[in-house]
Amino acid sequence: MPQEEKLLDASGMDCARVILGLKKALVEINSGQILKVVATDPIAPKALEVFARQTRHILLKQAQNGTAFIFFVQKT
């Protein structure tokens, strides 16, 4: 697993709030650093893929642990 600089635990949040939290968390880290995001909304995997593509941040890794989705996003 990549080494994250910051963790965003968005468990229980709907997808729109996950993306909003992701945007805010990315502002708090430097370019090249990694944000770990944990979400439980089943739409989150697709939404984070689209977000990363549109914002040109890098989705390094995506995994699932039970009902939790885990993402590692590198800020560009």
Side-chain angles (χ1 to χ4, degrees):
M1 294 280 182
Q3 180 61 42
E4 77 271 6
E5 299 295 327
K6 185 170 180 70
L7 169 66
L8 171 62
D9 186 355
S11 300
M13 293 183 188
D14 63 38
C15 195
R17 293 188 61 197
V18 173
I19 296 299
L20 180 60
L22 175 58
K23 287 180 181 180
K24 288 181 179 181
L26 284 168
V27 169
E28 299 173 1
I29 64 174
N30 296 318
S31 182
Q33 291 184 314
I34 297 171
L35 173 65
K36 179 180 180 181
V37 181
V38 179
T40 53
D41 188 319
I43 300 170
K46 183 64 178 168
L48 263 78
E49 287 176 23
V50 170
F51 175 82
R53 186 173 55 249
Q54 290 179 343
T55 60
R56 303 210 174 167
H57 295 298
I58 302 166
L59 182 56
L60 295 172
K61 186 172 177 82
Q62 176 176 315
Q64 186 172 357
N65 185 3
T67 59
F69 300 97
I70 302 163
F71 310 92
F72 292 88
V73 181
Q74 185 174 32
K75 182 176 179 176
T76 55

